[in-house]
Amino acid sequence: MADQGRSPRSAPGLEPDGTDRRRFLGYLLAAPTLVVAVQLGAETADPQMAEAAIPSPPEPAELMDLGDVLTLAALPTSSLISITMSPDGTASFALPRAEVGQGITTAIAMLIAEELDLPLDKVEITLADARPELVFNQFTGSSNTIRSMYHPVRTAAAIARARLLSTAARQWSVPVSSLTVDQGVIKSKSGTTATYGSLAVAAASTRLTAVSAQPKPESKFTLVGTPQNRIDAHDIVTGNKKFTLDLDVCPGAKPTMVRRPPTINGTVESVPNMAAVTSMPGITDVAVVSTGVAVRGETFGQCIDAVRALKVTWGAGSVDGESDDTVLRKLKAATLPLAAPPLLTHSIDAEFVFAFASNSALETNNAIADVKPDRAEIWSGLKSPIDAQETIAKKLGLPQHAVTVHVAQGGGSFGRKLFFDAALEAAEISQKMGRPVKLMWHRTDDFRHGRAHPMSYSRIRANYALGNVVSYEQRHTSVATDFTHGLGEILTATAAKLPVGGLGFSETVFELTQEVPYNFGPTTQLLNEVPLKFHTGSMRDVYSPNVVCARELVVDQLAATMGKDPVAFRRSFLKKGRYRAVLDKLAEVGQWGTSMPEGTAQGVAVHAEFKGCTAVLVEIDCRPETTGRRIRDAVTGPRITKAVMVVDVGRPINPRGLEAQMLGCVNDGIGLALTESLHIQKGLPLEGSWDNFFYTRQWNTPADVQIIVMPATTGDPGGAGELGVAGSFAAVACAYARATGKMPTSFPINHGTLSFDPLPREPSIPQSPTDGLDYAY
Amino acid sequence: MPQHTFILNGAKVTVDAPDDLRLLWVLRDILGVTGPKYGCGLDVCKACTCHINGKAFNPCSVPISYIKPTDEITTIEGLADKKTGALHPMQQAWLDYDVAQCGYCQPGQIMAAIAKVKQARSAGHEIGEADFDEIRNICRCGTYFRIREAVRSAATKM
Ligand code: FES
Ligand code: FES
């Protein structure tokens, strides 16, 4: 049986060895130096054939997933991305995506360096401003960047290389085939050399010329697929990497903060002491805006004082009556029914609850905005800059082209930067005050009024008979996830081409992302949503972490009921050879089956998505001496002592960067399973600091982590940024169940206990402490 | 407006600032030193970690009036050798282990790690698991494991 789900052998233009030898079209642009452009999105998605020996008909996510949709959406747009060769020998490329820590600038630089035979440090990647003509091509989501940029970027670089070679050949009157390139230096047989930089001007074109090129066969890659460090690492460790609030780009953009309501979406009724606050030291402006009351001043410290000094009467918010228990009741009531079990089968029924969780990054929401009567300029870490530009223009009453949106380096995203809440708010504030602003959200607001992954409830029924799982059903019910950040439009525009018809956005995303990797007979997974007006969004993947955690716990139950080992059981039902290979490697490296002391256990889980697959093994320690560890203002609890992940992304571009992403996913999974959640009480999350929202800390993280990147399997790079969360979450949950002998059904497991004293609701932000020196070490 | 003098990355600086303004805002908003990041302003996330006379501390939680003219404040910008640009062994280890992801927490992580290694030493031992478990700095990108590897390696060169 073939190992690859999407057999490249059948695709037209491919060599018998599976390498891609198609020619791609690009353009030489008329410019003073060599500039090569290609049309982004000209690559047709290859709907793959699923390989299923035993009948679980392929699910939509296997045929075409969300990443394919994003690629497909780009097809009709004529949009050029370009590589510029400068006389100083650097190749530069403005990436129409956001870098928020996922390492895409490094991976794209590697593709360009590979194709050009140029040292990696001679490739410069910047982040492009919002370019409306790119339409759907400037959306950083669903781990789609490398998947959609792989062919276009390589094509552009291949054309540039060919042009530089032909320029040298012409100058030296020798055939191109006699030339070689090493590290950006062209050499003739007779030993004459010329650098790319010295040829950049001569190679420039005087008119737009269409040319085609054949990128290097993948078998000849020497850089792509090898581990490389991040290209921005030096700037980071010296403090020179500039995030939005570090930028000195807009004279007069002064610190600005907002006093926010005591419940989500509460509205300002009156501000009796507005004048008094305006005359506080350092404060320049105070203005009522749609999200609260904004203050602008000389320093953020003075803004904090002013925000706290404001007296505000508030109108009701949008979810004032909602708390964890009321939301859960609504979710249960809205859950779609399961089918009745067939005759002569046994069933496992299970239900799980997943709390709200914040997708807050370490950098809080922020933006710089300078709004003038006839134009506006915005800087922010944005993953959907075109949508931001359009929405901001509408809000300001300006034409879209009058709004310039610059994409800044982002300090983490995890779904948060798909939205542009701070950019929109900063624009409104700047317009109201008539001055440029540098808006920063307070940490407490970022948890309480920022986006959160919504609470969900999952019911599963698995039927089994005669040593086989004969059907699998999952009904997932979630508070509605907000997709109004450009993805919604993309889905509308491509609706007719999708393998799922007539569904709303959320259901479509669900169908396009959820894949059960096992042959469990007829399989249905359905989503229903409860539309409550919380601020929601995805969180390093949309549905998978919760859906997969629930599923893998049930898989363990099935294995136990049927008297099978969890790894052997999974192995026997996995659909693809690729998945089995990943699991086998995991069992070997992770030493599955090692005997463990009582109160500790191993757990294992498998997850397939984004045309990739991961398997995760963790070891957990639930013994009292571990769970009872006392650390100031912290949650300790069970400790993951070891984590092993095997990941197959089809074709790894930068294995070291991929490992880094998976390492982050492991820590996300640990937090989601054990410690990290929002408690909703009367319309507001209680969490207001990192000592309330218990994302994984050093005292929770394993001291032993191994990430194994599988060599290229399908040949096409799959998505990676989010791939590892679901498996990690599920593996921790499964390990916990095995260590304690009880399957957990509510996540994170500590959600039932409030482990901190909530900060007050009013004023919305706390004052900074003054005793910092007492903790110096 | 009161004047405050201290030593910043080896050079004497004087600023006009209200007494209770936290040092983080003096650094970032008045002096334009943006290496120390804001992550909470609550002495929790540790993204703003700097050194005062060689010890790690969080300037978001220290009023400027608490800083004496003789106090030496070091930010991430002051770690590398000024003349040669040579990195501190901890910064170099961060490169060797490719620790950073988004990078937002990393200036604070590096400053905290240096102090932690020294603290362990003055307590008579090399940095180990128990010390790592005491580092409170958040890394929302989850780079904790590589941080541990890098710190261990840097410690042998410090
Ligand atoms: S900003 Fe200083 S500790 Fe968080
Ligand atoms: S690298 Fe992003 S928060 Fe640490």
Side-chain angles (χ1 to χ4, degrees), chain B residues 24 37-49 58-61:
Chain B
L24 179 62
K37 304 299 180 211
Y38 167 84
C40 69
L42 300 172
D43 209 350
V44 168
C45 76
K46 309 291 177 179
C48 66
T49 307
N58 291 91
C60 69
S61 299

Side-chain angles (χ1 to χ4, degrees), chain A residues 362, chain B residues 100-106 109 138-141 143:
Chain A
L362 187 53
Chain B
Q101 289 190 29
C102 80
Y104 197 81
C105 74
Q106 302 297 352
Q109 300 281 6
I138 296 275
C139 176
R140 183 60 184 79
C141 296
T143 65

Side-chain angles (χ1 to χ4, degrees), chain A residues 448 633 686-689 691-692 694 754-760:
Chain A
R448 291 183 164 174
D633 297 327
L686 296 179
E687 280 71 8
S689 104
D691 279 352
N692 304 168
F694 302 107
L754 194 67
S755 313
F756 60 93
D757 294 325
L759 291 161

